[in-house]
């Protein structure tokens, strides 16, 4: 059977027309120092963080195949009606550059239509197909999955397009398959398959295995009483925002100075590189807009006899956008350096970002042990062990999130519910996709639209184009207003002289001499300026992350943890710059939250100096009524803004005699994805500099 019947996509099958290379940011977190001894007992951990910085308005066209279970059991508890509503929501959200194919399975698999371009007419035709689906027959999941994969594999038009399968089933495979003939044994390849287990009688192990065998897919559990539309919306929010495709991270050591012992990337398996550098590569596939992927690299450092600073690891990402390959960093690999010194300890405190990720990995390993238990009692025992481990840890943002997640698991009463939810959480953590901790900001908006659609399916949700416009408007509305230039004011008043007074001529002569002196001095300063070409030193935000924010309904910020690095820049080629009276503040909606200050320091010529601030406030200030409303709206939207403002005094010398003193002021807004990964919005970070 041929599946080369896909309709041709539009000539421009991407929402964005201009290719911009900086759509992925690669960052590294590593301790500044390491001891001189070999660290075989305690490997040095490096956290590599890959962040998608794209906008959904630049996304590529989506090819989606919906593989739907229509076996007899789907007639129970109104599940078929819920499926039809959920699919009509999906159809409504697809845009004119997206394509959709419908495959159903019961005793056999059937393709109802090829990949149809989502024109207005095509949407209505496919909605009619969905409306006519009826439940009857067995559950031949394997045939349904294979046909869904064949539809994508047989396409004529693949270049630059995002491809994915969504597979929904409410039961176990029936008739029971022979060994190695289960749907979980199907070779999937580089396609993402998102599986949905609907109701208490589905087989979570098979569906979780299918998702895990795919490239980036996840397993989602939907209880009988839950909304299938909302769970579909969680995935559609991501699929309709993909700009970065075929993301791959390469990492390699500095030969003679480090050895990679292990690379931990969840279910993204690292593979040794074949370039002779003893490195590894990790393939992530496609990223949803705003998603983050974290990788822990365990390094072994050899014993050395003296202290020195060295690069211990290199890293670089490659990815495709609209069919073109880009790299991050674009010009050369990212270097991670460390100072080997006798004053360092193998057991030094790790970077907060590294500690959080290690806590999460430990938690994932513990719930994996619970998921392989044979009964509820044994699984619950493993979860209680995990709870004790988390309670013993130093609280941080990730520990708080994991504790809340664990409490939800422990509250489940039925073994089927607990097992399915365990496997869902396990898959999401391994993929770093789904759940609240990984979900991009737009997910909450799609879920809210799905909830409204469930109540009134006749009222279509906003189109994906409208979603993009709203998101862009929200970004524009929260951008800091540039300071307006003010005309210089003339201070004092003119001299009042009488022409009859004898001192007039003396004053004229004196003013003339002074004017000549000023002109000569001005010429001298200008000559010095031309020769030395001085540049104003300034402050710039190089990185920021909202680690923890606990806020009560009384309007008080109970706890705030934030890391922010402000870099002092001196681009002068012939003069050092001194910064003093550094007086900065972070505020929320007019309320000062914390002050950021620094002792005087000097930045050498053509150099910079980072000022790392690890903010910890507990308890914090109380917000006024307007601030409380703003905080509630920000947390609901998943983007929390903080204002950074203040000034610093700079001083530097131009030439031999001329010393310049200057106040440099900063005023900008930093928006953080929270609740979420806590990263700062890249456009805010890039604009936040003093003037």
């Amino acid at each position: 059977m041929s599946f080369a019947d896909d309709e041709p996509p539009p000539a421009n099958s991407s929402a964005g027309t201009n290719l911009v290379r900086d759509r992925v940011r690669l960052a590294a977190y590593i301790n500044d120092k390491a001891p001189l001894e070999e660290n075989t007992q305690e490997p040095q951990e490096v956290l590599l963080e890959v962040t998608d910085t794209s906008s959904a308005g630049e996304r590529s066209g989506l090819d989606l195949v919906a593989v739907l279970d229509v076996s007899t059991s789907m007639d129970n508890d109104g599940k078929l009606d819920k499926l039809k509503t959920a699919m009509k929501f999906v159809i409504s959200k697809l845009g004119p550059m997206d394509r959709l194919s419908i495959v159903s399975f019961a005793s056999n698999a059937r393709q109802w239509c090829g990949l149809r371009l989502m024109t207005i007419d095509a949407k209505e035709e496919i909605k009619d197909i969905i409306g006519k689906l009826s439940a009857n027959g067995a559950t031949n999941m394997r045939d349904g999955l294979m046909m869904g994969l064949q539809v994508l594999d047989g396409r004529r038009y693949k270049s630059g397009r995002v491809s994915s399968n969504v597979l929904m089933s409410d039961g176990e495979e029936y008739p029971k398959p022979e060994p190695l003939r289960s749907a979980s044994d199907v070779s999937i390849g580089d396609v993402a398959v998102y599986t949905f287990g609907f109701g208490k009688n589905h087989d979570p192990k098979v569906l979780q295995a299918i998702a895990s065998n795919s490239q980036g897919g996840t397993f989602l559990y939907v209880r009988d009483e839950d909304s299938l539309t909302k769970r579909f919306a969680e995935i559609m929010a991501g699929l309709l925002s993909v700009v970065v495709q075929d993301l791959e991270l390469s990492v390699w050591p500095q030969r003679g100075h480090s050895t990679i012992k292990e690379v931990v990337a969840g279910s993204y398996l690292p593979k040794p590189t074949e370039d002779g550098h003893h490195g590894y590569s990790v393939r992530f596939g496609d990223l949803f807009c705003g998603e983050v992927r974290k990788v822990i690299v365990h390094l072994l450092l050899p014993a050395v006899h003296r202290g020195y600073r060295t690069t211990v690891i290199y890293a670089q990402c490659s990815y495709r956008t609209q069919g073109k390959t880009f790299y991050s960093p674009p010009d050369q690999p990212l270097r991670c350096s460390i100072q080997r010194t006798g004053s360092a300890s193998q057991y030094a405190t790790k970077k907060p970002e590294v500690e959080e990720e290690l806590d999460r990995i430990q938690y994932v390993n513990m719930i994996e042990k619970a998921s392989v238990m044979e009964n509820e009692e044994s699984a619950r025992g493993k979860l209680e062990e995990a709870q004790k481990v988390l309670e013993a840890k130093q609280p941080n943002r990730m520990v708080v999130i994991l504790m809340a997640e664990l409490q939800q698991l422990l509250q489940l009463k039925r073994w089927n519910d607990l097992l399915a939810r365990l496997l869902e959480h396990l898959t999401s953590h391994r993929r770093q996709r789904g759940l609240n901790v990984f979900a991009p900001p737009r997910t909450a908006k799609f879920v809210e639209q799905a909830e409204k659609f469930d109540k009134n399916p006749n009222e279509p949700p906003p189109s994906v184009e409208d979603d993009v416009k709203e998101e862009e408007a929200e970004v524009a509305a929260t951008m800091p207003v540039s300071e307006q230039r003010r005309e210089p004011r003339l201070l004092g008043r003119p001299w009042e002289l009488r022409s009859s007074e004898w001192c007039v001529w003396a004053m004229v002569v004196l003013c003339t001499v002074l004017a000549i002196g000023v002109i000569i001095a001005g010429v001298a300063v200008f000559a010095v300026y031309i020769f030395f070409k001085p540049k104003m030193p300034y402050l710039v935000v190089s990185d920021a992350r909202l680690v923890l924010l606990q806020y009560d309904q009384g309007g008080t910020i109970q706890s705030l943890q934030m890391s922010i690095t402000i870099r002092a820049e001196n681009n002068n080629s012939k003069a050092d710059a001194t910064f003093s009276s550094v007086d900065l503040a972070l505020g929320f909606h007019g309320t000062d939250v914390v002050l950021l200050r620094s002792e005087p320091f000097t930045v050498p010529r053509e150099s910079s100096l980072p000022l790392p601030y690890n903010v910890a406030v507990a308890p914090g200030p109380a917000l006024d009524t307007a601030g409380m409303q703003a905080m509630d709206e920000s947390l609901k939207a998943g983007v929390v803004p903080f204002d950074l403002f203040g000034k610093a005094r700079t001083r530097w010398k131009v030439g031999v005699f001329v010393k310049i003193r200057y106040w440099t002021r900063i005023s900008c807004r930093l928006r953080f994805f929270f609740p979420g990964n806590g990263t700062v919005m890249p456009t805010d970070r890039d604009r936040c500099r003093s003037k």
Side-chain angles (χ1 to χ4, degrees):
M1 182 177 180
S2 174
F3 294 95
D5 57 351
D6 53 318
E7 294 183 351
N12 177 24
S13 60
S14 298
T17 56
N18 297 322
L19 286 175
V20 182
R21 67 180 186 176
D22 296 327
R23 289 298 173 257
V24 167
R25 185 178 74 249
L26 176 61
Y29 301 90
I30 182 174
N31 280 6
D32 297 326
K33 298 178 181 180
L36 302 178
E37 298 82 17
E38 186 178 11
N39 66 336
T40 53
Q41 299 299 321
E42 188 73 16
Q44 177 70 51
E45 291 100 352
V46 182
L47 170 62
L48 297 175
E49 184 179 79
V50 185
T51 304
D52 182 301
T53 61
S54 63
S55 164
E58 307 166 306
R59 74 180 184 94
S60 298
L62 171 65
D63 288 344
L64 181 66
V65 181
V67 183
L68 310 175
D69 184 349
V70 291
S71 59
T72 302
S73 58
M74 282 294 292
D75 248 347
N76 301 331
D77 302 318
K79 284 184 285 190
L80 185 61
D81 290 335
K82 287 186 177 182
L83 171 62
K84 292 179 179 181
T85 301
M87 280 306 304
K88 289 177 181 178
F89 175 81
V90 170
I91 294 167
S92 298
K93 293 302 295 183
L94 293 172
M97 64 181 180
D98 303 315
R99 301 188 296 178
L100 174 66
S101 176
I102 304 296
V103 172
S104 68
F105 66 91
S107 298
N108 298 293
R110 174 182 177 181
Q111 183 188 27
W112 291 85
C113 64
L115 279 169
R116 298 286 306 278
L117 198 62
M118 287 292 94
T119 62
I120 295 176
D121 291 340
K123 285 187 175 185
E124 293 304 317
E125 291 175 15
I126 296 181
K127 285 180 181 178
D128 288 341
I129 291 174
I130 295 297
K132 295 175 182 177
L133 291 178
S134 59
N136 184 37
T139 309
N140 191 346
M141 194 185 307
R142 178 186 174 90
D143 279 6
L145 173 61
M146 292 184 65
M147 183 171 287
L149 296 173
Q150 289 167 355
V151 171
L152 292 177
D153 186 58
R155 291 173 297 165
R156 295 174 297 166
Y157 307 98
K158 300 180 181 180
S159 178
R161 298 189 63 80
V162 179
S163 59
S164 181
N165 273 351
V166 292
L167 186 152
M168 189 286 307
S169 178
D170 77 324
E172 298 180 349
E173 294 180 277
Y174 184 82
K176 186 176 181 180
E178 299 176 2
L180 302 180
R181 296 289 296 173
S182 167
S184 60
D185 298 315
V186 173
S187 177
I188 294 177
D190 292 337
V191 176
V193 180
Y194 299 90
T195 58
F196 297 80
F198 196 4
K200 59 181 179 293
N201 295 321
H202 77 280
D203 190 336
K205 292 184 178 180
V206 169
L207 292 173
Q208 189 253 2
I210 293 171
S212 298
N213 292 340
S214 73
Q215 180 69 39
T218 56
F219 163 62
L220 296 89
Y221 171 44
V222 189
R223 296 181 301 175
D224 289 308
E225 62 271 23
D226 289 343
S227 166
L228 183 61
T229 311
K230 291 168 67 173
R231 301 314 306 267
F232 273 22
E234 294 176 27
I235 298 303
M236 294 305 299
L239 290 176
L240 292 175
S241 71
V242 174
V243 176
V244 174
Q245 298 177 264
D246 298 335
L247 174 67
E248 184 172 355
L249 170 67
S250 297
V251 55
W252 58 97
Q254 173 80 304
R255 185 172 298 182
H257 299 273
S258 63
T259 303
I260 295 179
K261 179 182 180 182
E262 185 182 13
V263 177
V264 181
S267 61
Y268 304 102
L269 300 180
K271 295 183 179 180
T273 57
E274 299 177 355
D275 53 9
H277 293 302
H278 304 283
Y280 291 86
S281 63
V282 182
R283 291 189 60 200
F284 295 107
D286 301 343
L287 282 193
F288 296 166
C289 175
E291 275 194 323
V292 178
R293 295 289 180 268
K294 297 181 180 181
V295 174
I296 291 286
V297 181
H298 295 274
L299 288 179
L300 296 179
L301 306 179
V304 294
H305 301 292
R306 60 179 179 83
Y308 68 104
R309 188 166 189 84
T310 181
T311 298
V312 292
I313 195 173
Y314 299 88
Q316 191 171 36
C317 291
S318 65
Y319 62 96
R320 288 192 310 109
T321 295
Q322 299 180 28
K324 187 173 181 179
T325 301
F326 296 96
Y327 295 90
S328 178
D331 301 320
Q332 58 184 359
L334 177 71
R335 293 169 174 255
C336 301
S337 300
I338 200 167
Q339 180 72 38
R340 303 297 300 273
T341 174
S343 62
S345 168
Q346 288 193 18
Y347 306 99
T349 302
K350 299 177 176 63
K351 291 277 188 180
E353 296 84 359
V354 177
E355 197 71 60
E356 284 189 12
E357 184 61 10
L358 291 175
D359 289 341
R360 191 186 69 82
I361 292 172
Q362 184 182 13
Y363 168 78
V364 174
N365 292 335
M366 290 187 291
I367 66 171
E368 182 178 14
K369 293 178 181 178
S371 70
V372 298
M373 294 293 103
E374 296 296 331
N375 54 63
E376 179 185 355
E377 182 179 357
S378 300
R380 195 173 295 277
K382 292 295 182 182
L383 293 179
E384 290 171 352
E385 291 178 13
Q387 184 178 25
K388 293 178 181 178
V389 172
L390 290 178
E391 288 174 344
K393 289 183 176 293
Q394 189 73 20
N396 58 43
R397 183 186 70 94
M398 184 57 66
V399 169
V400 172
I401 292 173
L402 297 178
M403 281 293 294
E405 186 178 302
L406 189 56
Q407 289 301 320
Q408 293 177 357
L409 292 173
L410 287 170
Q411 290 172 5
L412 297 174
K413 303 301 181 183
R414 296 184 304 183
W415 171 231
N416 288 346
D417 286 343
L418 179 57
L419 177 60
R421 200 66 77 188
L422 271 172
L423 293 175
E424 176 184 359
H425 285 212
L426 182 61
T427 309
S428 290
H429 274 285
R430 284 173 169 173
R431 293 289 195 211
Q432 300 182 51
R433 171 169 288 170
L435 301 179
N436 289 334
V437 65
F438 306 116
R442 70 190 331 235
T443 303
K445 183 182 300 181
F446 271 59
V447 171
E448 183 179 345
Q449 294 173 5
E451 188 174 5
K452 293 180 180 178
F453 191 81
D454 273 337
K455 295 177 181 177
N456 185 9
N458 295 321
E459 182 68 27
S463 68
V464 65
E465 293 82 8
D466 290 337
D467 290 328
V468 171
K469 291 178 182 177
E470 183 179 348
E471 290 165 5
E472 291 175 346
E474 289 174 353
V475 171
T478 55
M479 287 178 60
V481 180
S482 301
E483 293 185 1
Q484 297 182 358
R485 289 189 175 183
R486 298 177 180 176
E487 295 296 327
R489 295 181 297 170
L490 296 176
L491 302 178
R493 60 179 183 174
W495 290 96
E496 298 179 356
L497 298 175
R498 295 180 181 178
S499 59
S500 59
E501 294 181 357
W502 64 269
C503 62
V504 169
W505 292 107
M507 188 63 67
V508 170
V509 172
L510 179 60
C511 290
T512 302
V513 172
L514 289 175
I516 294 173
V518 169
I519 292 172
I520 294 174
V523 171
V525 170
F526 181 72
V528 171
Y529 177 86
I530 293 298
F531 180 76
F532 288 96
K533 296 182 179 178
K535 299 177 181 178
M536 298 290 187
Y538 61 91
L539 301 174
V540 60
V541 173
S542 61
D543 192 24
R545 177 185 293 272
L546 181 56
V547 178
L548 175 66
L549 174 61
Q550 293 180 338
Y551 166 76
D552 63 23
Q553 296 304 312
T556 300
I557 298 177
Q558 292 292 340
S559 181
L560 172 71
Q561 293 182 25
M562 179 188 297
S563 62
I564 179 170
T565 301
I566 299 174
R567 193 171 66 247
E569 291 280 358
N570 177 22
N571 294 326
N572 290 290
S573 60
K574 296 181 174 61
D576 297 344
T578 300
F579 288 75
S580 60
S581 302
V582 178
D583 189 5
L584 309 176
L586 273 171
F588 181 86
H589 208 270
T591 300
D592 290 354
V593 177
V594 66
L595 299 178
L596 307 176
R597 290 172 175 165
S598 173
E599 296 295 326
F601 58 89
T602 299
V603 181
R605 64 193 68 180
E606 292 187 324
S607 184
S608 64
L609 181 68
L611 304 176
Y613 294 95
N614 290 315
V615 177
V617 179
L623 304 178
D624 57 18
T625 303
M628 293 169 60
Q629 182 179 355
M631 179 64 78
D632 291 338
E633 293 175 353
S634 299
L635 292 173
K636 183 177 180 181
V639 179
V640 179
F642 282 88
D643 296 315
L644 175 66
F645 53 92
K647 62 182 179 179
R649 189 175 184 85
T650 61
R651 185 177 74 252
W652 73 103
K653 184 184 291 186
V654 179
V656 180
F657 303 105
V658 182
K659 292 184 179 180
I660 297 179
R661 293 178 175 85
Y662 178 77
W663 284 100
T664 181
R665 291 174 170 81
I666 191 168
S667 178
C668 57
R669 175 160 291 178
L670 300 172
R671 289 167 297 167
F672 298 86
F673 295 118
F674 192 93
N677 53 39
T679 56
V680 67
M681 195 167 289
T683 53
D684 292 355
R685 181 199 64 226
D686 296 341
R687 293 191 183 100
C688 195
R689 58 176 291 174
S690 64
K691 300 177 181 179

